[in-house]
Amino acid sequence: MFSVALRCHGKRCRPFAYSTLSKAISRPTLITPSPLAKIQKRNAAQAGTSNGTWRPVSVLDEWVAKEARPISLRQLMVFGRSLTESRLISSANYVRTELPVRIAHRIRDMQKLPYVVVTNPHIEEVYQLYYKAFDTFRKFKEIKTLEDNEKFCEVISQNLKGHLTVIPKLAMGILECGRLMDPKELDHFMNVILRSRISRRVIAEQHLSLTETFNSPYFSPGATLSESDFIGEVFIKCFAKDVISRCAKAVTHLARSTNGPQVQVPEVKIDGHLNASFPYILSHLEYIVGELLRNSVQAVIDRHQQHPDHASSPPPPIEVTICEAQEHVIIRISDRGGGIPREELPYLWSFSKGPQSQKRLENLGQVPRMAATMQELHVTDELGRADLKAPTYLGSLSTLTSRPPNLRLGMGLPLSRVYAEYWAGSLNLHSLEGYGVDAFLQISRLGNKNEQLTTRASMDAV
């Protein structure tokens, strides 16, 4: 179905996979030509100009030799608890040295992919974005003054904005290459890349937010921030009930805009430990809860509309239960939307395969940017959070994209699991076919768990 790139030596040609950094060379695979053959033609035409960044270079080796340093939510807040100029500059230098390390390992992971996958136009675009960012941050000089920090923050903001294309580009590339690699390997690659992307945005946005706080006319350097406020991007006391209520309001608005104002939207009922709180990055939690509620609400609406005899009665409610234990909080979201079709269950957490792959690919083509936040539900201003922090820079907490509300991308669940597992949590679903779904989101409530990220390139891991 896809052509394998050929490299000729005299009169002999052999399939080639970019793996000079690895001892293992991909085995030749005989694949019949397809429309993607134009990718090889395009790459051959550009070989003379773009091959430089594809080859491993010593400067990349130097950074790959270093290991990423995972941090916890508590450590993320250290610089901000009593923010001073010296602490802000220390934060800047941590980000300055950590970003190129984390990017370098992901560049090396991409270099390990078979050549025909790496040269997919979507994945190649992500590669070029990563290499440019790596080159920019590794060359940035040590930050010694507040003026240096302002320049550094400008560079960070530009990169955050430029990399909003990464998720849809990666997703399209993975779907197009679904038959060129083992789907499990593609999903593993996607999970590693996305988790690393989250980690970089977390430390970058945290520093931008601390800088914004430090420059605020209302801030006194050295003052201890209130326990009820944000420290950077971290919401110290994130009340589960408040987040669920806010997401439910947004999802209800979305359901009406998608299905029409006359549709009966199921009520979202919340019970359990209603005062449960924990430190968390609000945009992460909102995205997970928003996606789960959206799936449940739409499933109930669809099932209710399939039974005309139920039209006179309201649809069954979505029941959300909050359970607080000593070390974690569990949020269960239960619906009676008929469950997940059996043919979709094996691909529930996959980025690369599934019965709707082609439709997902077409939909992703209509999404130029994606920050993966609840704000992508395109809620109106009336749902804005006036009482919560809204940074002025273009970050994943405040960015809106052009995603239409009824455009299903098929990656909400796997991406939600990546977010959940990032801070050592978990996300699991239990489907009762013909009845409904129970989703279980577990969150560490102490904030002392490190980021769950791949600290080295997979090819270098022992």
Side-chain angles (χ1 to χ4, degrees):
M1 282 144 283
F2 299 90
S3 298
V4 173
L6 299 178
R7 179 164 288 183
C8 297
H9 300 275
K11 296 182 178 180
R12 300 178 61 188
C13 292
R14 61 182 176 85
F16 174 73
Y18 189 90
S19 187
T20 56
L21 296 171
S22 172
K23 294 179 181 179
I25 299 178
S26 300
R27 293 180 180 178
T29 306
L30 297 177
I31 307 175
T32 56
S34 83
L36 277 186
K38 63 183 181 182
I39 298 175
Q40 279 89 46
K41 183 177 180 181
R42 173 175 171 268
N43 288 322
Q46 295 180 345
T49 59
S50 64
N51 257 4
T53 54
W54 292 108
R55 290 194 294 267
V57 292
S58 60
V59 67
L60 186 65
D61 293 340
E62 293 171 10
W63 288 92
V64 171
K66 303 174 184 179
E67 194 162 330
R69 297 171 290 171
I71 56 176
S72 67
L73 280 167
R74 285 187 178 180
Q75 291 171 322
L76 202 62
M77 296 184 287
V78 166
F79 292 116
R81 280 201 179 274
S82 182
L83 191 58
T84 62
E85 180 178 333
S86 62
R87 286 196 172 201
L88 185 65
I89 290 175
S90 295
S91 171
N93 281 308
Y94 166 75
V95 176
R96 177 185 63 86
T97 55
E98 190 69 10
L99 284 179
V101 173
R102 298 188 183 199
I103 298 172
H105 284 289
R106 303 294 75 82
I107 292 174
R108 183 57 54 86
D109 278 337
M110 282 189 268
Q111 290 178 338
K112 180 65 164 47
L113 294 171
Y115 186 75
V116 70
V117 175
V118 176
T119 55
N120 174 278
H122 305 300
I123 294 179
E124 180 186 6
E125 185 175 329
V126 173
Y127 181 97
Q128 298 296 347
L129 280 171
Y130 275 31
Y131 203 94
K132 181 180 178 181
F134 164 73
D135 213 36
T136 299
F137 286 116
R138 76 175 181 87
K139 291 177 180 178
F140 212 96
K141 303 295 183 183
E142 181 183 0
I143 296 161
K144 299 180 179 180
T145 66
L146 292 176
E147 289 73 22
D148 292 343
N149 182 57
E150 290 300 322
K151 294 176 183 177
F152 182 57
C153 287
E154 180 60 32
V155 172
I156 292 177
S157 297
Q158 290 173 356
N159 274 271
L160 288 175
K161 181 178 179 181
H163 283 227
L164 287 174
T165 62
V166 165
I167 293 180
K169 289 294 181 184
L170 274 175
M172 286 190 286
I174 292 297
L175 285 170
E176 287 184 353
C177 297
R179 296 191 178 185
L180 297 178
M181 281 181 67
D182 185 322
K184 290 183 180 179
E185 292 181 10
L186 278 175
D187 283 333
H188 174 72
F189 167 77
M190 188 70 163
N191 273 277
V192 170
I193 287 287
L194 289 177
R195 200 170 294 177
S196 179
R197 178 186 183 273
I198 293 170
S199 79
R200 296 192 305 274
R201 296 189 80 89
V202 163
I203 61 175
E205 291 178 1
Q206 177 73 355
H207 180 67
L208 288 178
S209 190
L210 291 178
T211 299
E212 184 181 31
T213 299
F214 187 85
N215 292 334
S216 169
Y218 307 106
F219 177 73
S220 300
T224 301
L225 300 183
S226 167
E227 284 293 309
S228 62
D229 293 330
F230 284 86
I231 294 183
E233 290 295 289
V234 184
F235 199 23
I236 307 305
K237 287 189 176 180
C238 186
F239 286 92
K241 178 181 179 295
D242 293 345
V243 174
I244 295 166
S245 298
R246 194 160 48 247
C247 290
K249 188 176 182 181
V251 167
T252 298
H253 176 83
L254 172 70
R256 290 201 172 98
S257 67
T258 304
N259 300 278
Q262 75 287 349
V263 72
Q264 294 190 72
V265 179
E267 180 187 359
V268 177
K269 294 184 176 181
I270 309 172
D271 62 13
H273 297 142
L274 302 182
N275 293 321
S277 67
F278 43 86
Y280 216 74
I281 293 181
L282 198 57
S283 61
H284 293 189
L285 185 59
E286 286 179 335
Y287 180 78
I288 301 169
V289 174
E291 286 291 340
L292 294 176
L293 285 177
R294 178 168 60 174
N295 288 343
S296 290
V297 167
Q298 192 60 49
V300 170
I301 290 174
D302 291 343
R303 184 171 175 82
H304 193 68
Q305 291 178 336
Q306 289 170 5
H307 297 81
D309 53 316
H310 294 167
S312 58
S313 60
I318 311 297
E319 298 178 349
V320 182
T321 305
I322 304 169
C323 176
E324 183 179 32
Q326 185 174 356
E327 295 186 357
H328 57 256
V329 171
I330 296 177
I331 299 173
R332 182 186 67 182
I333 299 177
S334 302
D335 68 59
R336 282 180 271 172
I340 299 169
R342 186 171 300 181
E343 64 272 14
E344 293 182 14
L345 280 175
Y347 311 105
L348 208 57
W349 307 106
S350 176
F351 288 99
S352 61
K353 287 197 71 177
Q356 303 295 325
S357 295
Q358 188 57 42
K359 182 64 176 177
R360 288 162 56 189
L361 188 60
E362 293 172 3
N363 289 347
L364 281 162
Q366 301 178 50
V367 184
R369 300 187 307 163
M370 186 176 180
T373 65
M374 187 188 72
Q375 284 82 353
E376 289 174 346
L377 299 180
H378 258 273
V379 296
T380 59
D381 291 340
E382 67 186 41
L383 299 176
R385 303 167 301 172
D387 57 322
L388 297 179
K389 181 172 167 292
T392 55
Y393 61 85
L394 191 59
S396 64
L397 184 61
S398 60
T399 303
L400 290 173
T401 69
S402 57
R403 175 183 174 185
N406 60 343
L407 194 62
R408 306 309 296 268
L409 304 180
M411 58 187 298
L413 281 179
L415 187 53
S416 293
R417 175 176 271 187
V418 172
Y419 270 118
E421 293 178 346
Y422 178 72
W423 293 116
S426 64
L427 176 60
N428 293 289
L429 261 65
H430 296 286
S431 173
L432 297 174
E433 190 171 9
Y435 185 79
V437 170
D438 282 353
F440 295 87
L441 171 64
Q442 180 173 311
I443 297 166
S444 171
R445 68 181 294 264
L446 303 179
N448 60 350
K449 301 293 186 181
N450 278 349
E451 307 167 275
Q452 303 299 297
L453 63 100
T454 305
T455 58
R456 301 192 65 85
S458 59
M459 66 176 302
D460 296 317
V462 179

